[in-house]
Coordinates of all heavy atoms in Angstrom, one line a residue:
M490 N 8.6 -64.4 -62.7 CA 8.6 -64.2 -61.3 C 7.8 -62.9 -61.1 O 8.1 -61.9 -61.7 CB 10.0 -64.1 -60.7 CG 9.9 -63.9 -59.3 SD 11.5 -63.5 -58.3 CE 12.7 -64.0 -59.3
Q491 N 6.8 -63.0 -60.1 CA 6.0 -61.8 -59.8 C 6.5 -61.3 -58.4 O 6.7 -62.0 -57.6 CB 4.5 -62.2 -59.6 CG 3.9 -62.5 -60.8 CD 2.4 -62.7 -60.5 OE1 2.0 -63.3 -59.6 NE2 1.5 -62.4 -61.6
K492 N 6.5 -60.0 -58.4 CA 7.0 -59.4 -57.1 C 5.8 -58.9 -56.4 O 4.8 -58.4 -56.9 CB 7.9 -58.2 -57.3 CG 9.2 -58.6 -57.7 CD 10.3 -57.4 -57.8 CE 11.6 -58.0 -58.5 NZ 12.6 -56.9 -58.3
R493 N 5.7 -59.2 -55.0 CA 4.6 -58.8 -54.2 C 5.2 -58.1 -52.9 O 6.2 -58.4 -52.5 CB 3.8 -60.0 -53.7 CG 3.3 -60.8 -54.9 CD 2.1 -60.1 -55.4 NE 1.5 -60.9 -56.6 CZ 0.2 -60.7 -56.9 NH1 -0.6 -59.9 -56.4 NH2 -0.2 -61.5 -57.9
H494 N 4.3 -57.2 -52.5 CA 4.6 -56.6 -51.1 C 4.2 -57.6 -50.0 O 4.8 -57.6 -49.0 CB 3.8 -55.4 -50.9 CG 4.4 -54.2 -51.9 ND1 5.5 -53.6 -51.6 CD2 3.8 -53.7 -53.0 CE1 5.7 -52.7 -52.5 NE2 4.7 -52.7 -53.4
V495 N 3.0 -58.3 -50.3 CA 2.6 -59.3 -49.2 C 2.0 -60.5 -49.9 O 1.3 -60.5 -50.8 CB 1.3 -58.5 -48.5 CG1 0.7 -59.5 -47.6 CG2 1.8 -57.3 -47.8
V496 N 2.5 -61.5 -49.3 CA 2.0 -63.0 -49.7 C 1.6 -63.6 -48.3 O 2.2 -63.6 -47.3 CB 3.1 -63.7 -50.3 CG1 2.6 -65.1 -50.6 CG2 3.6 -63.1 -51.6
I497 N 0.2 -64.0 -48.4 CA -0.3 -64.6 -47.3 C -0.5 -66.1 -47.6 O -1.2 -66.5 -48.5 CB -1.7 -64.0 -46.9 CG1 -1.4 -62.4 -46.6 CG2 -2.3 -64.7 -46.0 CD1 -2.8 -61.7 -46.7
L498 N 0.0 -67.0 -46.7 CA -0.2 -68.3 -46.7 C -1.3 -68.9 -45.9 O -1.3 -68.8 -44.7 CB 1.1 -69.1 -46.4 CG 2.4 -68.7 -47.0 CD1 3.7 -69.5 -46.4 CD2 2.4 -68.7 -48.5
G499 N -2.3 -69.3 -46.6 CA -3.5 -69.9 -46.0 C -4.7 -68.9 -46.2 O -4.6 -67.7 -46.3
S500 N -5.9 -69.5 -46.5 CA -7.0 -68.9 -46.7 C -8.2 -69.1 -45.7 O -9.4 -69.1 -46.0 CB -7.6 -69.2 -48.1 OG -7.8 -70.5 -48.3
G501 N -7.8 -69.4 -44.4 CA -8.9 -69.5 -43.5 C -9.1 -68.2 -42.8 O -8.9 -67.1 -43.6
C502 N -9.9 -68.1 -41.9 CA -10.3 -66.7 -41.3 C -9.2 -65.7 -41.1 O -9.2 -64.5 -41.4 CB -11.0 -66.9 -39.9 SG -12.7 -67.2 -40.1
S503 N -7.9 -66.2 -40.5 CA -6.9 -65.4 -40.2 C -6.3 -64.7 -41.6 O -6.0 -63.6 -41.7 CB -5.8 -66.0 -39.5 OG -6.3 -66.4 -38.1
G504 N -6.0 -65.7 -42.4 CA -5.5 -65.3 -43.7 C -6.4 -64.4 -44.6 O -5.9 -63.4 -45.1
L505 N -7.7 -64.6 -44.5 CA -8.5 -63.8 -45.2 C -8.8 -62.3 -44.6 O -8.8 -61.4 -45.2 CB -9.8 -64.4 -45.5 CG -9.8 -65.6 -46.4 CD1 -11.2 -66.4 -46.4 CD2 -9.5 -65.2 -47.8
T506 N -8.7 -62.3 -43.3 CA -8.7 -61.1 -42.6 C -7.5 -60.3 -42.8 O -7.6 -59.1 -43.2 CB -8.9 -61.3 -41.1 OG1 -10.0 -62.0 -40.8 CG2 -8.9 -60.0 -40.3
A507 N -6.3 -60.9 -42.8 CA -5.2 -60.2 -43.2 C -5.1 -59.7 -44.5 O -4.8 -58.6 -44.9 CB -4.0 -61.1 -43.0
A508 N -5.8 -60.4 -45.6 CA -5.9 -60.0 -46.9 C -6.8 -58.8 -47.1 O -6.4 -57.9 -47.8 CB -6.4 -61.2 -47.7
I509 N -7.9 -58.8 -46.4 CA -8.7 -57.6 -46.4 C -8.0 -56.4 -45.9 O -8.1 -55.4 -46.5 CB -10.1 -57.9 -45.6 CG1 -10.9 -59.1 -46.2 CG2 -10.9 -56.6 -45.3 CD1 -12.0 -59.5 -45.2
Y510 N -7.4 -56.5 -44.7 CA -6.7 -55.3 -44.2 C -5.5 -54.9 -45.2 O -5.3 -53.6 -45.4 CB -6.2 -55.6 -42.8 CG -7.2 -55.4 -41.8 CD1 -8.0 -56.6 -41.3 CD2 -7.4 -54.2 -41.2 CE1 -9.0 -56.3 -40.4 CE2 -8.4 -54.0 -40.2 CZ -9.1 -55.1 -39.9 OH -10.1 -55.0 -38.9
C511 N -4.8 -55.8 -45.6 CA -3.6 -55.5 -46.6 C -4.1 -54.9 -47.9 O -3.6 -53.9 -48.5 CB -2.8 -56.7 -46.9 SG -1.8 -57.2 -45.5
A512 N -5.2 -55.4 -48.4 CA -5.8 -54.9 -49.7 C -6.3 -53.6 -49.4 O -6.1 -52.7 -50.4 CB -6.9 -55.9 -50.2
R513 N -7.0 -53.3 -48.3 CA -7.6 -51.9 -48.1 C -6.4 -50.9 -47.9 O -6.6 -49.7 -48.1 CB -8.3 -52.0 -46.9 CG -9.7 -52.7 -47.2 CD -10.7 -52.5 -46.0 NE -11.1 -51.2 -46.0 CZ -11.5 -50.6 -44.9 NH1 -11.5 -51.1 -43.7 NH2 -11.9 -49.3 -44.9
A514 N -5.2 -51.3 -47.5 CA -4.1 -50.6 -47.3 C -3.3 -50.3 -48.6 O -2.3 -49.6 -48.7 CB -3.1 -51.1 -46.3
G515 N -3.8 -50.9 -49.7 CA -3.2 -50.8 -51.1 C -2.0 -51.6 -51.3 O -1.2 -51.3 -52.1
L516 N -1.8 -52.8 -50.5 CA -0.6 -53.6 -50.6 C -0.7 -54.7 -51.7 O 0.2 -55.4 -51.8 CB -0.3 -54.2 -49.3 CG 0.1 -53.1 -48.2 CD1 0.3 -53.7 -46.8 CD2 1.3 -52.3 -48.7
Q517 N -2.0 -54.8 -52.3 CA -2.1 -55.8 -53.3 C -1.7 -57.2 -53.0 O -0.8 -57.9 -53.5 CB -1.4 -55.4 -54.7 CG -1.9 -54.1 -55.1 CD -1.3 -53.5 -56.4 OE1 0.0 -53.6 -56.4 NE2 -1.9 -53.0 -57.3
P518 N -2.3 -57.8 -51.9 CA -1.8 -59.1 -51.4 C -2.2 -60.2 -52.3 O -3.1 -60.1 -53.0 CB -2.5 -59.3 -50.0 CG -3.7 -58.4 -50.3 CD -3.4 -57.3 -51.2
L519 N -1.3 -61.3 -52.3 CA -1.6 -62.5 -53.0 C -1.8 -63.5 -51.8 O -1.1 -63.8 -50.9 CB -0.3 -63.0 -53.7 CG -0.5 -64.4 -54.3 CD1 -1.5 -64.4 -55.4 CD2 0.9 -64.8 -54.9
V520 N -3.0 -64.2 -51.8 CA -3.3 -65.3 -50.9 C -3.0 -66.6 -51.7 O -3.5 -67.0 -52.7 CB -4.8 -65.3 -50.3 CG1 -5.1 -66.5 -49.5 CG2 -5.0 -64.0 -49.6
I521 N -2.1 -67.4 -51.0 CA -1.8 -68.7 -51.5 C -2.7 -69.7 -50.6 O -2.7 -69.9 -49.5 CB -0.4 -69.2 -51.4 CG1 0.3 -68.2 -52.2 CG2 -0.3 -70.6 -51.9 CD1 1.9 -68.4 -52.1
E522 N -3.8 -70.3 -51.4 CA -4.9 -71.1 -50.7 C -4.5 -72.4 -50.3 O -5.1 -73.0 -49.4 CB -6.1 -71.1 -51.7 CG -6.8 -69.7 -52.0 CD -7.9 -69.9 -52.8 OE1 -8.0 -70.4 -53.8 OE2 -9.0 -69.5 -52.2
G523 N -3.5 -73.0 -50.8 CA -3.3 -74.4 -50.5 C -4.3 -75.3 -51.1 O -5.3 -74.9 -51.9
R524 N -4.3 -76.5 -50.9 CA -5.3 -77.6 -51.6 C -6.6 -77.4 -51.0 O -7.5 -77.8 -51.6 CB -4.7 -78.9 -51.5 CG -3.5 -79.1 -52.3 CD -3.1 -80.6 -52.5 NE -2.0 -80.7 -53.4 CZ -0.9 -81.3 -53.0 NH1 -0.8 -81.7 -51.8 NH2 0.2 -81.3 -53.8
E525 N -6.8 -77.1 -49.7 CA -7.9 -77.0 -49.1 C -8.4 -75.5 -48.9 O -8.1 -75.0 -47.7 CB -7.9 -77.7 -47.7 CG -9.3 -77.9 -47.1 CD -10.2 -78.8 -48.0 OE1 -9.9 -80.0 -48.4 OE2 -11.4 -78.3 -48.3
A526 N -8.9 -74.8 -49.8 CA -9.2 -73.4 -49.7 C -10.1 -73.2 -48.5 O -11.1 -74.0 -48.3 CB -9.8 -72.9 -51.0
G527 N -9.9 -72.2 -47.8 CA -10.7 -71.9 -46.6 C -10.4 -72.5 -45.4 O -10.8 -72.3 -44.3
G528 N -9.4 -73.5 -45.4 CA -8.9 -74.1 -44.2 C -10.0 -75.0 -43.5 O -11.0 -75.5 -44.1
Q529 N -9.8 -75.2 -42.2 CA -10.8 -75.9 -41.4 C -12.1 -75.4 -41.5 O -13.1 -76.2 -41.4 CB -10.2 -76.0 -40.0 CG -11.0 -76.9 -39.1 CD -10.9 -78.4 -39.5 OE1 -9.7 -78.8 -40.0 NE2 -11.9 -79.2 -39.4
L530 N -12.3 -74.0 -41.6 CA -13.6 -73.5 -41.6 C -14.4 -73.9 -42.7 O -15.7 -74.0 -42.6 CB -13.6 -71.9 -41.6 CG -14.6 -71.1 -41.2 CD1 -15.2 -71.5 -39.9 CD2 -14.3 -69.7 -41.3
S531 N -13.8 -74.3 -43.8 CA -14.6 -74.7 -45.0 C -15.2 -76.1 -44.8 O -16.2 -76.5 -45.4 CB -13.8 -74.8 -46.2 OG -12.7 -75.7 -46.1
M532 N -14.8 -76.8 -43.7 CA -15.4 -78.2 -43.3 C -16.1 -78.0 -42.2 O -16.6 -79.1 -41.6 CB -14.2 -79.1 -43.3 CG -13.5 -79.3 -44.5 SD -12.1 -80.5 -44.3 CE -10.9 -79.5 -43.6
T533 N -16.4 -76.8 -41.6 CA -17.2 -76.7 -40.4 C -18.7 -76.4 -40.7 O -19.0 -75.6 -41.6 CB -16.6 -75.5 -39.6 OG1 -15.2 -75.8 -39.3 CG2 -17.3 -75.2 -38.2
T534 N -19.5 -76.9 -39.9 CA -20.9 -76.7 -40.2 C -21.4 -75.3 -39.6 O -20.9 -74.3 -40.1 CB -21.9 -77.8 -39.7 OG1 -21.5 -78.2 -38.4 CG2 -21.7 -79.1 -40.5
L535 N -22.0 -75.4 -38.4 CA -22.4 -74.1 -37.8 C -21.4 -73.5 -37.1 O -20.8 -74.1 -36.1 CB -23.6 -74.4 -36.9 CG -24.5 -73.2 -36.5 CD1 -24.9 -72.2 -37.5 CD2 -25.5 -73.6 -35.6
V536 N -21.0 -72.2 -37.3 CA -20.1 -71.4 -36.6 C -20.9 -70.4 -35.7 O -21.6 -69.5 -36.4 CB -19.2 -70.6 -37.5 CG1 -18.2 -69.7 -36.8 CG2 -18.4 -71.5 -38.3
E537 N -20.8 -70.5 -34.5 CA -21.6 -69.8 -33.5 C -20.8 -68.7 -32.8 O -21.4 -68.0 -32.0 CB -22.4 -70.6 -32.5 CG -23.2 -71.6 -33.2 CD -24.0 -72.5 -32.3 OE1 -23.2 -73.4 -31.6 OE2 -25.2 -72.4 -32.1
N538 N -19.5 -68.7 -32.9 CA -18.7 -67.7 -32.2 C -18.0 -66.6 -33.0 O -17.0 -66.1 -32.6 CB -17.7 -68.5 -31.4 CG -16.7 -69.2 -32.3 OD1 -17.0 -69.5 -33.5 ND2 -15.6 -69.6 -31.8
F539 N -18.6 -66.3 -34.2 CA -18.0 -65.3 -35.1 C -18.8 -64.1 -34.9 O -20.0 -64.1 -35.0 CB -18.0 -65.8 -36.5 CG -17.0 -65.0 -37.3 CD1 -15.8 -65.3 -37.4 CD2 -17.5 -63.8 -38.0 CE1 -14.8 -64.4 -38.2 CE2 -16.7 -63.1 -38.8 CZ -15.3 -63.4 -38.9
P540 N -18.2 -62.9 -34.6 CA -19.0 -61.6 -34.4 C -19.8 -61.4 -35.7 O -19.4 -61.4 -36.7 CB -17.9 -60.6 -34.2 CG -16.7 -61.5 -33.7 CD -16.8 -62.8 -34.4
G541 N -21.0 -60.8 -35.3 CA -21.9 -60.3 -36.4 C -22.9 -61.3 -36.8 O -23.8 -60.9 -37.6
F542 N -22.9 -62.5 -36.3 CA -23.9 -63.6 -36.7 C -24.5 -64.3 -35.5 O -24.1 -65.3 -35.0 CB -23.2 -64.6 -37.6 CG -22.7 -64.1 -38.8 CD1 -21.4 -63.7 -39.0 CD2 -23.4 -63.9 -40.0 CE1 -20.8 -63.2 -40.2 CE2 -23.0 -63.4 -41.2 CZ -21.7 -63.0 -41.3
P543 N -25.5 -63.5 -34.8 CA -26.0 -64.0 -33.5 C -26.7 -65.4 -33.6 O -26.7 -66.0 -32.6 CB -27.1 -62.8 -33.2 CG -27.3 -62.1 -34.4 CD -26.1 -62.3 -35.4
S544 N -27.0 -65.8 -34.8 CA -27.7 -67.1 -34.9 C -26.7 -68.1 -35.5 O -27.1 -69.1 -35.8 CB -29.0 -67.0 -35.8 OG -29.9 -66.1 -35.2
G545 N -25.5 -67.6 -35.7 CA -24.5 -68.5 -36.4 C -24.5 -68.4 -37.9 O -25.4 -67.8 -38.5
I546 N -23.5 -69.0 -38.5 CA -23.4 -68.9 -39.9 C -22.6 -70.3 -40.4 O -21.8 -70.8 -39.6 CB -22.7 -67.7 -40.5 CG1 -22.6 -67.7 -42.1 CG2 -21.2 -67.7 -39.9 CD1 -22.1 -66.3 -42.5
Q547 N -22.9 -70.8 -41.5 CA -22.2 -72.1 -42.0 C -20.8 -71.7 -42.4 O -20.5 -70.6 -42.9 CB -23.0 -72.7 -43.2 CG -24.3 -73.1 -42.8 CD -24.3 -74.4 -41.9 OE1 -23.6 -75.2 -42.1 NE2 -25.2 -74.3 -40.9
G548 N -19.8 -72.6 -42.0 CA -18.4 -72.3 -42.3 C -18.1 -71.9 -43.8 O -17.5 -70.9 -44.0
P549 N -18.6 -72.8 -44.6 CA -18.3 -72.4 -46.0 C -18.9 -71.1 -46.4 O -18.2 -70.4 -47.3 CB -18.9 -73.6 -46.8 CG -18.9 -74.7 -45.9 CD -19.2 -74.1 -44.5
E550 N -20.0 -70.7 -46.0 CA -20.6 -69.5 -46.4 C -19.7 -68.3 -45.9 O -19.6 -67.3 -46.5 CB -22.0 -69.4 -45.9 CG -22.7 -68.1 -46.2 CD -24.2 -68.0 -45.6 OE1 -24.6 -69.0 -45.0 OE2 -24.8 -66.9 -45.9
L551 N -19.3 -68.5 -44.6 CA -18.5 -67.4 -44.0 C -17.1 -67.3 -44.7 O -16.7 -66.2 -45.1 CB -18.2 -67.8 -42.5 CG -17.3 -66.8 -41.8 CD1 -17.8 -65.4 -41.8 CD2 -17.0 -67.3 -40.4
V552 N -16.6 -68.4 -45.0 CA -15.4 -68.3 -46.0 C -15.5 -67.6 -47.2 O -14.7 -66.8 -47.7 CB -14.8 -69.8 -46.2 CG1 -13.5 -69.7 -47.2 CG2 -14.2 -70.3 -44.8
E553 N -16.5 -68.0 -48.0 CA -16.9 -67.4 -49.3 C -17.2 -65.9 -49.0 O -16.7 -65.2 -49.8 CB -18.0 -68.1 -49.8 CG -18.3 -67.5 -51.3 CD -17.2 -67.8 -52.3 OE1 -16.3 -68.6 -52.0 OE2 -17.1 -66.9 -53.2
N554 N -17.9 -65.4 -48.0 CA -18.2 -64.0 -47.7 C -16.8 -63.2 -47.5 O -16.5 -62.2 -48.2 CB -19.1 -63.8 -46.6 CG -20.5 -64.2 -46.8 OD1 -20.9 -64.5 -47.9 ND2 -21.2 -64.2 -45.7
M555 N -16.0 -63.9 -46.7 CA -14.7 -63.2 -46.4 C -13.8 -63.2 -47.7 O -13.2 -62.2 -48.1 CB -14.0 -64.0 -45.3 CG -14.6 -63.9 -44.0 SD -13.8 -64.8 -42.8 CE -12.5 -63.7 -42.4
R556 N -13.9 -64.2 -48.6 CA -13.0 -64.3 -49.8 C -13.5 -63.2 -50.8 O -12.8 -62.5 -51.5 CB -13.2 -65.6 -50.4 CG -12.2 -66.0 -51.5 CD -12.3 -67.4 -52.1 NE -11.2 -67.8 -52.9 CZ -11.2 -67.4 -54.1 NH1 -12.1 -66.6 -54.8 NH2 -10.1 -67.8 -54.9
E557 N -14.8 -63.1 -50.9 CA -15.5 -62.1 -51.8 C -15.1 -60.7 -51.3 O -14.8 -59.8 -52.2 CB -16.9 -62.2 -52.1 CG -17.3 -63.6 -52.7 CD -16.7 -63.5 -54.1 OE1 -16.8 -62.5 -54.8 OE2 -16.1 -64.6 -54.6
Q558 N -15.1 -60.5 -50.0 CA -14.7 -59.2 -49.5 C -13.3 -58.8 -49.9 O -12.9 -57.8 -50.3 CB -15.0 -59.1 -48.1 CG -14.7 -57.7 -47.5 CD -15.2 -57.6 -46.0 OE1 -15.6 -58.6 -45.4 NE2 -15.1 -56.4 -45.6
A559 N -12.4 -59.8 -49.6 CA -10.9 -59.6 -49.9 C -10.8 -59.3 -51.4 O -10.0 -58.5 -51.8 CB -10.1 -60.9 -49.5
K560 N -11.4 -60.1 -52.3 CA -11.3 -59.9 -53.8 C -11.9 -58.5 -54.2 O -11.2 -57.8 -55.0 CB -12.2 -60.9 -54.4 CG -11.5 -62.2 -54.7 CD -12.2 -63.3 -55.3 CE -12.7 -62.9 -56.8 NZ -13.4 -64.0 -57.5
A561 N -12.9 -58.0 -53.5 CA -13.5 -56.7 -53.8 C -12.5 -55.5 -53.5 O -12.5 -54.6 -54.3 CB -14.7 -56.4 -53.0
F562 N -11.6 -55.8 -52.7 CA -10.6 -54.8 -52.4 C -9.1 -55.0 -53.1 O -8.2 -54.3 -53.0 CB -10.2 -54.8 -50.9 CG -11.2 -54.1 -50.1 CD1 -12.1 -54.9 -49.3 CD2 -11.6 -52.8 -50.2 CE1 -13.1 -54.3 -48.4 CE2 -12.7 -52.2 -49.5 CZ -13.4 -53.1 -48.6
G563 N -9.1 -56.1 -54.0 CA -8.1 -56.2 -54.8 C -7.1 -57.4 -54.5 O -6.1 -57.5 -55.1
T564 N -7.4 -58.2 -53.6 CA -6.7 -59.4 -53.2 C -6.7 -60.3 -54.4 O -7.7 -60.6 -55.1 CB -7.2 -60.1 -52.1 OG1 -7.1 -59.3 -50.9 CG2 -6.4 -61.4 -51.7
E565 N -5.5 -61.0 -54.8 CA -5.5 -62.1 -55.7 C -5.1 -63.3 -55.1 O -4.7 -63.4 -54.0 CB -4.4 -61.7 -56.8 CG -4.7 -60.5 -57.6 CD -3.6 -60.2 -58.6 OE1 -3.2 -61.3 -59.1 OE2 -3.4 -59.1 -58.9
F566 N -5.6 -64.4 -55.7 CA -5.6 -65.8 -55.1 C -4.8 -66.7 -56.0 O -5.0 -66.6 -57.3 CB -6.9 -66.3 -54.8 CG -7.6 -65.6 -53.8 CD1 -8.4 -64.4 -54.1 CD2 -7.6 -66.1 -52.5 CE1 -9.0 -63.7 -53.1 CE2 -8.4 -65.4 -51.5 CZ -9.1 -64.3 -51.8
A567 N -4.1 -67.6 -55.4 CA -3.4 -68.7 -56.1 C -3.6 -70.0 -55.4 O -3.6 -69.9 -54.2 CB -1.8 -68.5 -56.2
T568 N -3.9 -71.0 -56.1 CA -4.1 -72.4 -55.5 C -2.8 -73.3 -55.5 O -2.2 -73.3 -56.6 CB -5.3 -73.1 -56.0 OG1 -6.4 -72.2 -55.9 CG2 -5.5 -74.4 -55.4
G569 N -2.3 -73.8 -54.6 CA -1.2 -74.7 -54.5 C -0.5 -74.7 -53.3 O -0.7 -73.9 -52.4
D570 N 0.4 -75.6 -53.1 CA 1.3 -75.7 -51.9 C 2.6 -75.0 -52.1 O 3.2 -75.2 -53.1 CB 1.4 -77.1 -51.4 CG 0.2 -77.6 -50.8 OD1 -0.8 -77.0 -50.2 OD2 -0.1 -78.9 -50.9
V571 N 3.1 -74.3 -51.1 CA 4.4 -73.7 -51.1 C 5.4 -74.9 -51.0 O 5.4 -75.6 -50.0 CB 4.7 -72.7 -50.2 CG1 6.2 -72.3 -50.1 CG2 3.7 -71.5 -50.4
T572 N 6.4 -75.1 -51.9 CA 7.3 -76.3 -51.9 C 8.7 -75.8 -51.3 O 9.5 -76.6 -51.0 CB 7.5 -76.9 -53.2 OG1 7.8 -76.0 -54.2 CG2 6.1 -77.6 -53.5
E573 N 8.9 -74.4 -51.6 CA 10.3 -73.9 -51.1 C 9.9 -72.4 -50.6 O 9.1 -71.8 -51.2 CB 11.2 -73.7 -52.3 CG 11.8 -75.0 -52.8 CD 12.7 -74.8 -54.0 OE1 13.7 -73.9 -53.8 OE2 12.5 -75.6 -54.9
A574 N 10.7 -72.1 -49.6 CA 10.8 -70.7 -49.2 C 12.2 -70.3 -48.8 O 12.9 -70.9 -48.1 CB 9.9 -70.7 -47.8
H575 N 12.6 -69.3 -49.5 CA 13.9 -68.6 -49.2 C 13.8 -67.3 -48.6 O 13.5 -66.3 -49.2 CB 14.6 -68.6 -50.6 CG 14.9 -69.9 -51.3 ND1 15.8 -70.7 -50.9 CD2 14.2 -70.4 -52.1 CE1 15.8 -71.8 -51.7 NE2 14.7 -71.7 -52.4
L576 N 14.1 -67.4 -47.2 CA 13.7 -66.2 -46.5 C 15.0 -65.5 -45.8 O 15.1 -64.6 -45.1 CB 12.7 -66.5 -45.2 CG 11.5 -67.2 -45.8 CD1 10.6 -67.5 -44.5 CD2 10.7 -66.4 -46.7
G577 N 16.2 -66.1 -46.3 CA 17.4 -65.6 -45.7 C 17.9 -64.3 -46.2 O 18.7 -63.7 -45.7
E578 N 17.5 -63.9 -47.4 CA 17.8 -62.7 -48.1 C 16.7 -62.1 -48.8 O 15.8 -62.8 -49.3 CB 19.1 -62.8 -48.9 CG 18.9 -63.8 -50.1 CD 20.2 -64.1 -50.9 OE1 21.2 -64.5 -50.3 OE2 20.2 -63.8 -52.0
R579 N 16.8 -60.7 -49.0 CA 15.8 -60.0 -49.7 C 16.0 -60.0 -51.2 O 17.3 -59.8 -51.5 CB 15.5 -58.7 -49.2 CG 14.9 -58.8 -47.8 CD 14.7 -57.4 -47.2 NE 14.2 -57.5 -45.9 CZ 13.0 -57.5 -45.5 NH1 12.0 -57.5 -46.4 NH2 12.7 -57.6 -44.2
P580 N 15.1 -60.0 -52.1 CA 13.8 -60.4 -51.8 C 13.5 -61.7 -51.4 O 14.3 -62.6 -51.9 CB 13.1 -59.9 -53.1 CG 14.1 -60.2 -54.1 CD 15.4 -59.9 -53.5
F581 N 12.6 -62.0 -50.5 CA 12.2 -63.4 -50.2 C 11.6 -64.0 -51.4 O 11.1 -63.4 -52.2 CB 11.1 -63.4 -49.0 CG 11.6 -62.6 -47.7 CD1 10.6 -62.1 -47.0 CD2 12.9 -62.7 -47.3 CE1 10.9 -61.5 -45.8 CE2 13.3 -62.1 -46.2 CZ 12.2 -61.5 -45.4
T582 N 11.8 -65.3 -51.6 CA 11.3 -66.1 -52.7 C 10.4 -67.3 -52.2 O 10.9 -67.9 -51.2 CB 12.2 -66.4 -53.6 OG1 13.2 -67.3 -53.1 CG2 12.9 -65.3 -54.4
L583 N 9.3 -67.5 -52.7 CA 8.5 -68.7 -52.6 C 8.4 -69.4 -54.0 O 8.2 -68.8 -54.9 CB 7.1 -68.3 -52.0 CG 7.1 -67.5 -50.8 CD1 5.6 -67.0 -50.4 CD2 7.7 -68.3 -49.6
R584 N 8.2 -70.7 -53.8 CA 7.9 -71.6 -55.0 C 6.7 -72.3 -54.7 O 6.8 -73.1 -53.7 CB 9.2 -72.4 -55.3 CG 8.9 -73.2 -56.6 CD 10.2 -74.0 -57.0 NE 11.3 -73.1 -57.2 CZ 11.6 -72.5 -58.3 NH1 10.8 -72.4 -59.3 NH2 12.7 -71.7 -58.3
L585 N 5.9 -72.3 -55.6 CA 4.6 -73.1 -55.5 C 4.9 -74.4 -56.2 O 5.8 -74.5 -57.0 CB 3.4 -72.5 -56.1 CG 2.5 -71.7 -55.0 CD1 3.4 -70.5 -54.4 CD2 1.2 -71.2 -55.7
E586 N 4.1 -75.3 -56.1 CA 4.2 -76.8 -56.8 C 4.6 -76.6 -58.3 O 5.6 -77.1 -58.6 CB 3.0 -77.5 -56.6 CG 2.6 -77.8 -55.2 CD 1.1 -78.4 -55.2 OE1 0.3 -77.7 -55.7 OE2 0.9 -79.3 -54.5
D587 N 3.9 -75.9 -59.1 CA 4.2 -75.9 -60.4 C 4.6 -74.5 -60.8 O 4.5 -74.2 -62.1 CB 2.8 -76.4 -61.2 CG 2.6 -77.7 -60.8 OD1 3.4 -78.6 -60.8 OD2 1.3 -78.1 -60.8
N588 N 5.0 -73.6 -60.0 CA 5.2 -72.1 -60.3 C 6.4 -71.6 -59.7 O 6.7 -71.7 -58.5 CB 3.9 -71.4 -60.0 CG 3.8 -70.1 -60.8 OD1 4.6 -69.7 -61.5 ND2 2.6 -69.4 -60.6

């Protein structure tokens, strides 16, 4: 069993943004990607409403850029679905499919 300060469920824009901020704060986050890494954004073609890209950017490219940025600051990633969550007492525990 690994202990973590922060576990983020989901690797879409929100999850990856949270990972970047947590990693920069030294919290060593773990992102659980689920079966569809990158979420809906990984299946989106042109994203025209994300700041910093006046001509737009392809969804998979944006997800990959965010993922690499999170990794650069120390975020770790796991793939799988959470099958159990015990949040009633500390420490909280999560169980992934095979882990």
Side-chain angles (χ1 to χ4, degrees):
M490 176 184 347
Q491 290 183 324
K492 291 185 178 186
R493 299 287 180 156
H494 291 287
V495 177
V496 177
I497 299 166
L498 305 181
S500 58
C502 272
S503 297
L505 292 172
T506 299
I509 291 167
Y510 279 92
C511 289
R513 292 190 65 209
L516 298 175
Q517 301 173 316
L519 171 67
V520 172
I521 300 177
E522 295 184 300
R524 289 197 180 115
E525 193 61 54
Q529 187 67 36
L530 195 57
S531 65
M532 298 177 278
T533 301
T534 53
L535 186 62
V536 177
E537 297 177 295
N538 62 342
F539 195 86
F542 297 95
S544 300
I546 184 171
Q547 295 295 311
E550 182 181 0
L551 179 58
V552 168
E553 186 57 29
N554 289 347
M555 293 179 77
R556 190 178 194 285
E557 289 303 313
Q558 187 174 4
K560 280 177 63 175
F562 288 112
T564 299
E565 293 184 36
F566 292 83
T568 302
D570 289 332
V571 174
T572 57
E573 287 181 49
H575 299 277
L576 309 176
E578 58 185 58
R579 292 182 185 267
F581 301 149
T582 58
L583 300 173
R584 182 175 305 277
L585 269 63
E586 293 165 312
D587 299 323
N588 203 348

